[in-house]
Amino acid sequence: MELILPDLSAIQLKAAAYLIDEGQVRGRILIHRQILKEVEEQASQGDVMAMEGLGELRRACSEKGVTLDYIGEASAEKSSRLLVLEEAARLGAKVMTCDPVSARLAKSMGI
């Protein structure tokens, strides 16, 4: 089963939900808990875009029968970008991102 870790940009811009809705992504979606921490922080400051994206992702997974799990531990020392990439490398998973810097970094790490 294919493992996919969306980063904050893919969740926030609803790209992850869209790709699942369109049937382009199957397998198992893994959301790092650091992402949840950032979604919570943004929402507490009035920015609910990531919260809405997370809700859309959950809905899409539920409707399309895609497994959604939460993994890892939040960290104060590392960015979500780095934690997602490290976890993807460890698990042999793919990273889903809308961020060109994250995409280049993942490619340079062989992810």
Side-chain angles (χ1 to χ4, degrees):
M1 179 179 289
E2 188 173 54
L3 301 175
I4 300 165
L5 275 99
D7 70 358
L8 186 59
S9 68
I11 293 169
Q12 193 169 32
L13 298 174
K14 300 181 184 176
Y18 174 80
L19 292 172
I20 291 168
D21 279 334
E22 294 297 309
Q24 295 181 35
V25 172
R26 294 183 177 88
R28 186 172 163 211
I29 302 294
L30 305 172
I31 302 204
H32 199 286
R33 285 186 175 85
Q34 182 72 19
I35 299 289
L36 296 177
K37 178 182 174 187
E38 290 187 20
V39 168
E40 178 189 26
E41 288 171 0
Q42 288 180 8
S44 70
Q45 296 173 2
D47 182 357
V48 296
M49 204 163 126
M51 183 84 68
E52 291 171 355
L54 187 59
E56 285 292 311
L57 176 58
R58 214 176 111 246
R59 177 207 48 80
C61 287
S62 177
E63 288 178 3
K64 299 294 182 176
V66 174
T67 303
L68 175 65
D69 289 317
Y70 301 96
I71 61 167
E73 297 298 324
S75 169
E77 293 84 39
K78 294 183 181 179
S79 70
S80 64
R81 178 185 290 166
L82 184 57
L83 287 169
V84 166
L85 292 172
E86 287 176 349
E87 199 70 29
R90 187 180 72 76
L91 296 171
K94 292 183 178 181
V95 173
M96 181 187 298
T97 184
C98 295
D99 178 7
V101 173
S102 290
R104 277 192 245 135
L105 187 54
K107 187 175 181 178
S108 73
M109 292 173 67
I111 301 170

